[in-house]
Amino acid sequence: MRWLRRLLGGKRVQLDPGRQQALLHDVQSRYGPHARIRFTEQVEALTDSLDSDDGLVVASRIVSQVADEAHVDLQAQAQEIHRRTGRRLLVHRRNYRPLWKEAGPALRWPLFALPCGFHPYAQVAAAVTVLGSQARRLDRVTDPNPLVTRVFEVLDLTTTGWEYGRVRVDTDAATLADRLIVSAGQVLAAMDDPPRLPPAVRELMRRNNTVAVHDPAGPRAVGGINLGARMREEFLV
C-alpha cells in the first residue's frame, strides 16, 4: 500500500495527537448551527484552522465519523420500522439510494442530528474541502482508500436526502454537494490505484437535470445545480 510505504519509508510527518484533540474540540464547540456567523464564513474559518498535517488528520476523522454515525442511525431506523411494521429494509453503505427509494417518507435524514454534533454545512463542508485541497498529502497521514469511500457515502446521503428525504436544497446544501464532488475528484486523482465509482454516483452521472437552489432565508430560487454534469466534469478525467 502506497500510503503505508510513505508512512514507513518516506519523509517523516510530525503529527501531534494532543494538537489534533485540541483542534477537534475547537471544531466541535465553536462551530455549527449555534454559531453566530453564516455557514459560508464558518467553512472559511474552519478550512484555515485545519490547514496542517494535524488538521488533515482531524478532517479525515470528521468525515469518517459522520459517515459511520449516519450508517448506524439508518440501521437503527430500519430496525425500528421492522419492529413496528414487520417491513424489512436493507441498509447498504455502498449505495443508499435503494433504501431511500423504498422507504424515504418513513426515514429521517440523519446528517442534521448526529451524536458527534458535526453539521453538514459547517464542519463537514470544511473537512471535505481540506481533504480535497491537500489530497496529495493524504497518504502521508492515512489510507486514502477507505476515506474516499466515506466521502462518497456522505455525497450519497446528501443527494438522496434532496430527492427522497425532504431536505431543502438551498445554497448551503448545494455548496456541500459541490465540495463533496470536487474533493472526491481531487482525492481520486491523487491515488495510484483509485477505486471504482460507487453505484449511486454512476447512476447520477447518467442524468442531466438541474435542481433548483434556494435562498437559505426565503423561498426564492437563486440558481441551480446539475449534479450529473458536475460529477462528469470531476470524475471523467
Side-chain angles (χ1 to χ4, degrees):
M1 292 180 289
R2 179 176 175 235
W3 74 275
L4 187 56
R5 293 197 302 270
R6 291 285 295 272
L7 284 177
L8 296 177
K11 183 177 179 182
R12 289 185 61 83
V13 176
Q14 298 296 327
L15 297 176
D16 182 348
R19 173 61 176 156
Q20 293 167 26
Q21 198 58 40
L23 280 171
L24 192 61
H25 179 267
D26 185 66
V27 167
Q28 285 179 310
S29 61
R30 290 183 56 196
Y31 300 95
H34 62 277
R36 295 185 178 182
I37 58 175
R38 294 177 300 176
F39 286 129
T40 52
E41 297 172 90
Q42 293 187 50
V43 171
E44 184 176 349
L46 281 160
T47 301
D48 289 342
S49 71
L50 297 176
D51 186 21
S52 65
D53 286 328
D54 287 310
L56 187 56
V57 173
V58 171
S60 303
R61 288 176 60 181
I62 290 170
V63 173
S64 296
Q65 187 170 357
V66 165
D68 290 344
E69 290 187 1
H71 181 243
V72 170
D73 183 280
L74 286 171
Q75 284 183 313
Q77 291 189 57
Q79 290 167 2
E80 175 61 18
I81 290 171
H82 178 255
R83 186 191 66 79
R84 288 189 288 103
T85 68
R87 182 183 184 189
R88 290 190 179 275
L89 298 172
L90 298 178
V91 182
H92 292 301
R93 295 184 73 157
R94 184 163 171 76
N95 188 4
Y96 285 118
R97 295 187 68 79
L99 170 70
W100 284 90
K101 286 178 182 178
E102 181 179 355
L107 294 172
R108 178 188 68 258
W109 196 61
L111 296 188
F112 282 148
L114 294 174
C116 62
F118 297 135
H119 195 281
Y121 304 158
Q123 293 99 328
V124 178
V128 296
T129 301
V130 170
L131 297 182
S133 65
Q134 299 191 47
R136 297 200 175 276
R137 294 186 61 80
L138 261 180
D139 61 2
R140 293 178 178 270
V141 301
T142 190
D143 183 352
N145 275 280
L147 184 58
V148 77
T149 298
R150 300 296 172 257
V151 172
F152 277 127
E153 286 177 20
V154 177
L155 175 59
D156 188 7
L157 286 166
T158 299
T159 59
T160 52
W162 295 4
E163 194 166 353
Y164 305 107
R166 304 171 303 281
V167 175
R168 187 171 186 265
V169 185
D170 60 19
T171 54
D172 294 316
T175 298
L176 171 64
D178 193 71
R179 288 176 186 266
L180 286 161
I181 293 167
V182 171
S183 294
Q186 290 170 322
V187 174
L188 291 174
M191 298 173 69
D192 287 339
D193 186 22
R196 291 188 63 198
L197 295 173
V201 168
R202 297 200 302 271
E203 178 180 335
L204 289 175
M205 287 175 67
R206 293 192 290 269
R207 298 185 182 182
N208 199 39
N209 60 297
T210 298
V211 178
V213 177
H214 297 85
D215 185 335
R220 183 171 59 97
V222 294
I225 182 170
N226 186 324
L227 292 170
R230 289 294 294 123
M231 290 180 184
R232 292 191 295 273
E233 290 169 9
E234 296 297 329
F235 303 145
L236 296 181
V237 293

